[in-house]
Amino acid sequence: MLDPQLIRTQLDDLTQKLFLRGFILDHARLAELEARRKQIQVETEQLQSERNKRSKAIGQAKAKGEDVTPLLETVAQLGEQLKASEMALEDIQTQLNDILLGIPNLPHDTVPIGRTGDDNVEVRRIGTPKEFAFPPLDHVDLGAKLGQLDFETAAKIAGARFTLIRGPLARLHRALTQFMLDLHTQEHGYTEVYVPYLVNADSLLGTGQLPKFAEDLFHIPLQNYYLIPTAEVPITNIVRDLIWKTEDLPAKFVAHTPCFRSEAGSYGKDTRGMIRQHQFEKVEMVQWVKPEDSYTALEELTAHAETVLQRLELPYRVVSLCTGDLGFASAKTYDLEVWLPGQQHYREISSCSNFEAFQARRLKARYRDPNTKKPNLLHTLNGSGLAVGRTLVAIMENYQDEGGRIFIPPVLQNYLGGRTHIQ
RNA sequence: GGAGAGAUGGCCGAGAGGCUGAAGGCACUCCCCUGCUAAGGGAGGAUGGGCUGUAGAGGCUCAUCGAGGGUUCGAAUCCCUCUCUCUCCGCCA
């Protein structure tokens, strides 16, 4: 959520910045609602003040043993008036709040301006795609050849967009999460957390998935739980409604969780293979930091994710998302895209974002500023480190040989009991 | 699932219709005292919002005692619903 002050004081500027990311703000309606809000709120508070004064007087008169009936008469219609005013205020505040909750974050000044993914800017490219002496297969064919990747059985058990992995490949998949967690906890200073995979609506509201993106989520209506679409939700909500100890900043947490996404609206997109699934594993890094540190933190967080790719010796590039491609809550995002020989394309494998105070405002996530001694909103960040399923895909495709064997990257071999390849 | 108890400021903990935005304590900030530390004395201080403004100085004001409704001129305090926590029994990985 944006600072409501911006709507009062810098509506034009705001409208313009939001336009850059493709969001049309209903400027006139907002201005009108805001004017009415101001009038009604002042009115309501005056009435409340009046009521408080008179009630206090009644109490004092009563204490002295005086007759209070004349005083009671003077308050008689005040109650009705107040009730009507309060209802009007509540109504308008609900309207304003609904609008506010639907407004995306403002892009940071360093975010490239553009409309679609084609306008994203490549920041750097690390590693060189391997030249294969044969036409490299994609992971689906490789998995079928190995007999270890089975989409048909998964479809029977659950439906489309699910995967069944067998044997050594399943172990490799598990090894990847262990490797990633070990790296981030042992070398990057993150605290591992185990979190709920089902969350309530408040948590999703806090991180920004609700109310706008309900159709992307799996919802369990009976108990009113939602399956998490990313560990960002449970981890970031650790700070909800808290004043975090300033000496415990920056806070850095990492978790491995499954992620569940309905993928509504992506029909026909990435239908082949395990690139886009209803259920996938991810190792997620989350930080909350002082506002002045958040852009340094974004660079560090991105580097932490990159380290995974570097250790796995996978070629990748870093892309700065343009204003039009930015996620709803993000002020700035770097995507890491790994090279997939089977597709001859770089594909997103991690997304690292700085949300500034956008989530923190919804979450009431604060710290005490040592200078002012006042609570202040934190900045939150997160990034995948990495998406495990896609990492498995990347390893299969980049480490295949002509016979369809998959070599295991050296850093992973210990996690697989010394195994050097899968066949 | 059954029976009971509870939820109050950064933390602990009183309060049981009006003078309580909330005693007391801890932690915190400032001052005094002390050779240093410890101890002691004094002062301050919740959070969020609105209006005004010499616009992070001030002034006025509203809301908030788990959440949401209700009763009342007036609710932390009474009533209803919900959530969560704890204890005992049952069940279970």
Side-chain angles (χ1 to χ4, degrees):
Chain A
M1 194 159 79
L2 298 175
D3 186 349
Q5 286 299 344
L6 290 176
I7 285 168
R8 300 189 189 122
T9 58
Q10 297 172 43
L11 190 54
D12 293 334
D13 190 40
L14 189 71
T15 309
Q16 211 170 355
K17 278 190 177 153
L18 286 170
F19 181 74
L20 286 182
R21 46 136 72 234
F23 185 86
I24 309 295
L25 190 66
D26 191 343
H27 186 122
R29 168 143 189 263
L30 207 51
E32 194 236 315
L33 278 174
E34 173 51 27
R36 273 175 55 207
R37 186 233 100 222
K38 183 165 165 171
Q39 190 218 327
I40 294 173
Q41 181 161 356
V42 169
E43 222 169 86
T44 305
E45 290 187 1
Q46 271 167 1
L47 287 168
Q48 284 171 329
S49 176
E50 193 58 34
R51 183 215 42 208
N52 291 347
K53 272 187 202 129
R54 302 210 184 177
S55 294
K56 204 161 244 178
I58 290 170
Q60 283 163 353
K62 223 172 185 177
K64 288 183 206 150
E66 292 168 7
D67 180 21
V68 296
T69 41
L71 283 171
L72 284 177
E73 278 162 23
T74 67
V75 215
Q77 22 59 295
L78 194 66
E80 296 303 309
Q81 244 187 78
L82 180 60
K83 194 161 242 169
S85 194
E86 276 175 342
M87 277 170 63
L89 180 63
E90 197 188 315
D91 177 60
I92 199 155
Q93 274 175 336
T94 306
Q95 288 185 55
L96 273 168
N97 200 251
D98 287 351
I99 295 177
L100 221 52
L101 283 174
I103 299 176
N105 203 357
L106 296 176
H108 188 248
D109 288 339
T110 56
V111 172
I113 292 167
R115 294 177 55 83
T116 71
D118 296 335
D119 301 318
N120 294 341
V121 171
E122 182 177 304
V123 178
R124 57 185 165 271
R125 201 178 273 228
I126 311 287
T128 316
K130 190 175 152 189
E131 297 288 338
F132 290 90
F134 55 94
L137 301 178
D138 80 351
H139 68 283
V140 181
D141 292 337
L142 284 165
K145 218 166 172 176
L146 291 165
Q148 297 178 33
L149 210 50
D150 181 353
F151 296 101
E152 274 161 37
T153 305
K156 177 180 73 180
I157 299 167
R161 295 203 188 280
F162 287 93
T163 308
L164 183 74
I165 315 175
R166 289 195 171 90
L169 200 60
R171 187 177 180 186
L172 173 59
H173 184 251
R174 170 164 58 91
L176 278 169
T177 74
Q178 301 302 331
F179 162 68
M180 291 177 197
L181 282 170
D182 286 348
L183 175 66
H184 297 314
T185 55
Q186 289 165 21
E187 297 186 40
H188 297 153
Y190 289 79
T191 300
E192 183 172 350
V193 283
Y194 172 81
V195 296
Y197 302 159
L198 297 174
V199 296
N200 55 40
D202 281 343
S203 292
L204 289 156
L205 205 73
T207 34
Q209 285 78 15
L210 288 179
K212 229 179 166 175
F213 306 101
E215 71 278 8
D216 297 337
L217 301 166
F218 282 108
H219 184 206
I220 300 169
L222 194 59
Q223 290 88 356
N224 206 21
Y225 282 127
Y226 293 83
L227 287 158
I228 55 169
T230 158
E232 162 193 353
V233 178
I235 305 176
T236 311
N237 272 277
I238 291 171
V239 264
R240 170 147 59 91
D241 294 321
L242 291 183
I243 298 177
W244 197 257
K245 282 200 171 74
T246 307
E247 59 266 32
D248 293 340
L249 295 173
K252 298 160 77 175
F253 292 101
V254 63
H256 157 236
T257 72
C259 304
F260 302 93
R261 300 189 181 175
S262 78
E263 295 299 340
S266 62
Y267 305 107
K269 212 177 185 182
D270 299 316
T271 47
R272 182 177 163 86
M274 59 184 297
I275 292 292
R276 190 175 300 275
Q277 301 279 284
H278 285 313
Q279 171 189 319
F280 62 97
E281 306 288 301
K282 188 152 62 72
V283 169
E284 183 79 0
M285 300 173 284
V286 174
Q287 295 194 22
W288 42 93
V289 304
K290 293 183 207 165
E292 62 268 30
D293 299 333
S294 70
Y295 279 93
T296 316
L298 177 62
E299 298 300 323
E300 285 172 9
L301 181 87
T302 307
H304 295 153
E306 288 183 66
T307 303
V308 179
L309 288 166
Q310 289 166 12
R311 297 280 171 93
L312 293 173
E313 298 172 57
L314 292 167
Y316 69 95
R317 61 178 197 152
V318 182
V319 163
S320 183
L321 297 194
C322 75
T323 51
D325 206 26
L326 223 45
F328 177 74
S330 176
K332 180 168 186 173
T333 297
Y334 291 119
D335 272 6
L336 306 189
E337 297 180 345
V338 71
W339 176 254
L340 294 185
Q343 296 190 9
Q344 291 291 304
H345 250 109
Y346 284 99
R347 281 305 300 247
E348 177 187 343
I349 197 166
S350 168
S351 195
C352 302
S353 302
N354 182 2
F355 303 98
E356 298 189 3
F358 188 87
Q359 291 181 327
R361 187 168 291 110
R362 293 170 168 238
L363 293 160
K364 297 181 190 69
R366 296 166 298 168
Y367 71 106
R368 206 170 280 281
D369 187 320
N371 299 316
T372 63
K373 308 272 192 305
K374 288 287 171 195
N376 194 19
L377 293 172
L378 289 159
H379 280 194
T380 60
L381 303 97
N382 68 49
S384 2
L386 308 164
V388 178
R390 290 190 181 179
T391 308
L392 184 74
V393 167
I395 287 174
M396 289 173 75
E397 295 193 9
N398 280 280
Y399 281 87
Q400 63 181 297
D401 73 2
E402 192 157 12
R405 295 195 302 174
I406 313 292
F407 285 86
I408 310 291
V411 283
L412 290 179
Q413 290 177 5
N414 279 341
Y415 289 90
L416 289 155
R419 184 190 282 269
T420 58
H421 61 274
I422 290 173
Q423 59 184 13

